[in-house]
Amino acid sequence: DAKTTQPTSMDCAEGRAANLPCNHSTISGNEYVYWYRQIHSQGPQYIIHGLKNNETNEMASLIITEDRKSSTLILPHATLRDTAVYYCIVRVEDNDMRFGAGTRLTVKP
Amino acid sequence: EAGVVQSPRYKIIEKKQPVAFWCNPISGHNTLYWYLQNLGQGPELLIRYENEEAVDDSQLPKDRFSAERLKGVDSTLKIQPAELGDSAVYLCASSRNYNSPLHFGNGTRLTVT
């Protein structure tokens, strides 16, 4: 699976949009982009995934660039409860989900 | 639906002692995973089950770690004997099938003294 690069940490003001970037410049055509998050003392939680098209669900939006070399997870109105470590994972079908160190997002009042 | 249930939530043992962790996956989920998470790092896969069959245990240290998933439902992960370096959070996850999103339990935090 392709390697991903994420910033170590980010801050966001409460009520504003949180935009979390992820670089995956070696992604191949059949690799999906997954996002999970992990709130302190809990297990990771699935957020969203996509292949080529942008995706949106009740939690977030996933924007994948046309060349698929990077993506952005958008939390439209961040709350204090969105403070967590966010993992971007690139995975081809029938391969295991492998986590990196992620981005620690802190939402501030 | 009920989530993935793990027990115990915390465990403190002395080195060289045995320890076991239990996981009850979401009903109907055929795929079960055990991950290990060290402080400040992302989870690392230890073993994956498809129903009752361990299909990927390449990352499991087999000299001291063992796992089972009887009847393709609940699973246990055992360490015998435990070492100081085994102190970590042990996470269980399940998914409907291999290509479905993973659902994690809240883990067992193991401290080996």
Side-chain angles (χ1 to χ4, degrees), chain B residues 35-65:
Chain B
Y35 281 81
L36 175 155
Q37 186 170 27
N38 289 305
L39 188 65
Q41 299 181 24
E44 302 169 32
L45 181 67
L46 289 173
I47 189 169
R48 171 172 64 90
Y49 282 91
E50 293 291 342
N51 298 304
E52 66 276 8
E53 182 182 359
V55 295
D56 181 2
D57 62 355
S58 57
Q59 303 303 312
L60 191 72
K62 298 181 184 62
D63 57 334
R64 299 183 298 107
F65 286 65

Side-chain angles (χ1 to χ4, degrees), chain A residues 34 36 38 41-44 46 87 91 93-97 99-100, chain B residues 9 35 37 41-43 45 48 56 91 98-99 101-102 104-106:
Chain A
Y34 284 79
Y36 284 76
Q38 188 171 24
S41 295
Q42 297 182 22
Y46 166 77
Y87 299 101
R91 174 198 185 219
E93 278 195 340
D94 296 335
N95 272 14
D96 292 321
M97 199 75 66
F99 293 76
Chain B
R9 189 77 172 87
Y35 281 81
Q37 186 170 27
Q41 299 181 24
L45 181 67
R48 171 172 64 90
D56 181 2
L91 293 160
Y98 189 27
N99 291 313
L102 275 62
F104 282 82
N106 286 329

Side-chain angles (χ1 to χ4, degrees), chain A residues 2 16-19 23 29 34 37 49 62 69 84-85 88 94 99:
Chain A
R16 305 297 293 269
N19 297 284
N23 285 322
Y34 284 79
R37 73 178 183 184
H49 75 283
L62 173 60
K69 293 184 177 182
V85 176
C88 171
D94 296 335
F99 293 76

